[in-house]
Amino acid sequence: MADGCRSLPTEKILRFSAYANSRRCHPAGKVRWDRKAPVVGAGHARSFPSPGAAALGTAAGPPPFPWQRPGLGQRAPQEAASAACPGSVEDEEEKEEGEEKEEDEEKEKEKEDEEPPPCPLTEEHFKEGLSLLCKTGNGLAHAYVKFEAKDKGLTDISLLERFIHLRYVDLSKNKLKDLAPLSSLTQLLWLKVDRNLLTSASMQELPYLQVISFDRNHIVDFEGITHPLLANLSLKENKIETLLGLSHDHLFSLQVLELRGNQINTTAGLGVSKLKKLYLAKNTICSLEGLEEFEQLEILHLRDNKLEALDGFSASMKCLQYLNLRSNGIKSFQEVGKLQVLPMLQALVLMDNLCAQEPDYRLQVLSRLPRLQRLDKETVEEEEREEAEKIRQTRRGKRKRKGNARIS
């Protein structure tokens, strides 16, 4: 550290950092700033050299983070997925409505240049976007691990290659076409690059990356998504046509997959069967295939698709609790009856289908699916349940009489 800079005890640095973060600023001025990664040592401030230096202890890959302050990076992958996509089954409707409003607002704002002017990430941008002081991977120093540069018109982020301590990065609303500079961020845990100009999600495998959001880009496939601890992947409103390309061999931790607003026409080919939440609303799906493999799936969104038949559900889907089929082409209650194979189904959304216009719609559905707790965002009342039971008994009696008539 330069002689003119006064050193601070570690606890004072952390205390000041917490205060600075709460004020939406950061104490960058307290640490010597140059073209190297800003690192604060235990008891003094210093700058280590470029990535790969022995002092950073990265030759054998980044160590685990047991010492990290409470947050996404300290959690197991499944907890990270829950943190990134919180809420119970009952909260899914509210979450969906909020996202619809957000999408409408975003669409009004969207206006992209065909070829944006060059705009590289500068050190000034970087200093403005830094926050969250934490220990480095070897536990011997402190560094800023969170960086945000939203809506800056950036086309080049090569500067990020030097800052290998970053764990949380938000580059949304820029003009990026290439994420190659992020390959050196081997300690990255969380990445958001929504509303850029990306045509591919391909990146070098990052060993600790748990959450990625690629929403509203121009991505056409899943090539190059191979991060072993990835728990939450969002590719909403891209140009994906097929579910082929995701593999359990590479994504064995994936639990939440968001693919709303793409061009997918079938559920066949999805190779990550350990999912717990799958969002496929606003596609062109007309057939359900391969769902029998999803034994751990709890939430399935198929709103605004082109389903007319409900073949494809299986008794092996023993964890499915919430199913959204709003705004499809389901005409008959006979199709609804096929959902009886789902042993744990508690909440079903069927509004805006043709069958929802039939008389006694709720009772007809409940008579076929007596275990439902919620139908179209409304809790099933005990009186409804009793009426539905009467309808079920009447229908059962009619079938029995028809069978006896055939025998005689």
Side-chain angles (χ1 to χ4, degrees):
M1 180 176 180
D3 294 336
C5 295
R6 182 166 58 91
S7 65
L8 290 172
T10 302
E11 60 271 15
K12 288 188 178 181
I13 293 171
L14 290 173
R15 191 157 57 245
F16 184 81
S17 179
Y19 172 81
N21 288 335
S22 69
R23 299 295 178 182
R24 300 184 67 80
C25 62
H26 62 84
K30 299 295 179 180
V31 181
R32 179 185 174 189
W33 185 267
D34 58 19
R35 294 174 67 86
K36 303 166 187 175
V39 178
V40 182
H44 66 283
R46 55 196 172 120
S47 289
F48 279 112
S50 61
L56 293 176
T58 58
F65 304 123
W67 34 261
Q68 187 175 347
R69 66 176 61 183
L72 203 59
Q74 189 179 3
R75 306 180 183 188
Q78 58 268 32
E79 295 177 5
S82 299
C85 193
S88 62
V89 168
E90 289 78 6
D91 296 329
E92 285 297 314
E93 293 95 346
E94 294 181 9
K95 176 181 175 225
E96 185 178 8
E97 289 175 358
E99 288 179 345
E100 285 175 356
K101 292 178 182 178
E102 178 187 342
E103 288 171 11
D104 292 340
E105 292 172 0
E106 294 290 350
K107 285 177 181 177
E108 292 178 5
K109 296 177 183 177
E110 282 184 2
K111 192 175 183 180
E112 298 172 346
D113 298 327
E114 290 185 5
E115 190 59 41
C119 182
L121 177 66
T122 65
E123 290 187 358
E124 191 62 33
H125 287 140
F126 194 72
K127 290 165 67 175
E128 290 175 358
L130 274 181
S131 63
L132 189 57
L133 193 66
C134 289
K135 284 187 178 181
T136 56
N138 56 20
L140 301 177
H142 291 83
Y144 294 101
V145 299
K146 183 176 180 181
F147 176 64
E148 180 181 294
K150 297 194 296 185
D151 205 9
K152 304 290 186 183
L154 299 177
T155 59
D156 183 354
I157 54 171
S158 298
L159 182 68
L160 288 183
E161 292 178 342
R162 307 169 188 165
F163 300 98
I164 63 173
H165 299 292
L166 290 175
R167 297 172 200 156
Y168 308 92
V169 174
D170 189 345
L171 296 166
S172 301
K173 301 181 181 179
N174 284 291
K175 306 293 182 181
L176 299 176
K177 296 182 179 181
D178 181 21
L179 298 179
L182 299 180
S183 299
S184 63
L185 306 185
T186 54
Q187 298 184 22
L188 196 63
L189 301 169
W190 184 94
L191 175 63
K192 189 172 184 180
V193 283
D194 298 349
R195 292 190 65 195
N196 278 276
L197 303 178
L198 299 169
T199 57
S200 173
S202 181
M203 296 170 59
Q204 180 175 313
E205 183 178 301
L206 295 173
Y208 295 120
L209 190 56
Q210 297 178 24
V211 177
I212 311 178
S213 180
F214 288 112
D215 295 350
R216 302 182 181 95
N217 279 276
H218 307 297
I219 296 169
V220 298
D221 56 38
F222 300 116
E223 184 180 354
I225 304 178
T226 59
H227 316 289
L229 291 187
L230 187 62
N232 187 311
L233 174 61
S234 183
L235 286 153
K236 183 165 53 179
E237 293 188 35
N238 279 277
K239 298 182 178 181
I240 297 169
E241 297 182 0
T242 174
L243 294 177
L244 295 171
L246 291 180
S247 169
H248 178 72
D249 294 337
H250 296 108
L251 297 172
F252 45 80
S253 299
L254 191 63
Q255 295 188 6
V256 182
L257 180 57
E258 168 66 89
L259 294 170
R260 303 186 211 208
N262 281 279
Q263 301 166 21
I264 300 164
N265 57 24
T266 177
T267 57
L270 189 57
V272 281
S273 57
K274 298 297 179 68
L275 288 175
K276 290 190 175 180
K277 299 181 181 181
L278 177 58
Y279 299 91
L280 291 168
K282 298 184 179 180
N283 280 280
T284 58
I285 296 172
C286 55
S287 65
L288 300 174
E289 302 173 61
L291 295 182
E292 64 276 358
E293 299 179 8
F294 293 92
E295 297 182 2
Q296 299 180 26
L297 194 65
E298 297 174 1
I299 292 173
L300 177 58
H301 270 250
L302 289 164
R303 175 180 176 175
D304 288 300
N305 277 283
K306 299 183 180 300
L307 291 169
E308 296 183 2
L310 295 180
D311 301 304
F313 290 100
S314 168
S316 63
M317 302 176 74
K318 52 192 176 185
C319 294
L320 190 63
Q321 300 176 39
Y322 178 93
L323 176 61
N324 193 323
L325 293 167
R326 181 175 179 177
S327 298
N328 276 274
I330 302 165
K331 301 176 182 178
S332 71
F333 295 117
Q334 182 178 354
E335 293 300 322
V336 177
K338 295 176 182 178
L339 301 179
Q340 293 174 1
V341 299
L342 301 172
M344 293 296 292
L345 187 62
Q346 297 178 13
L348 175 65
V349 182
L350 270 174
M351 62 177 68
D352 300 330
N353 281 279
L354 290 176
C355 65
Q357 301 175 12
E358 296 293 327
D360 295 330
Y361 153 68
R362 285 181 64 86
L363 295 179
Q364 290 293 337
V365 173
L366 294 173
S367 69
R368 289 165 172 82
L369 304 173
R371 290 188 292 268
L372 283 183
Q373 303 297 316
R374 293 170 64 84
L375 177 59
D376 294 343
K377 305 183 182 182
E378 296 183 12
T379 303
V380 177
E381 302 294 339
E382 191 59 35
E383 293 180 359
E384 283 184 305
R385 205 175 295 282
E386 293 173 358
E387 289 295 320
E389 177 61 26
K390 293 178 182 178
I391 293 174
R392 182 164 57 254
Q393 294 295 344
T394 301
R395 189 167 57 246
R396 188 178 299 169
K398 288 181 179 179
R399 284 200 300 267
K400 188 175 181 179
R401 287 193 294 272
K402 284 183 181 179
N404 291 337
R406 289 173 185 170
I407 293 172
S408 59

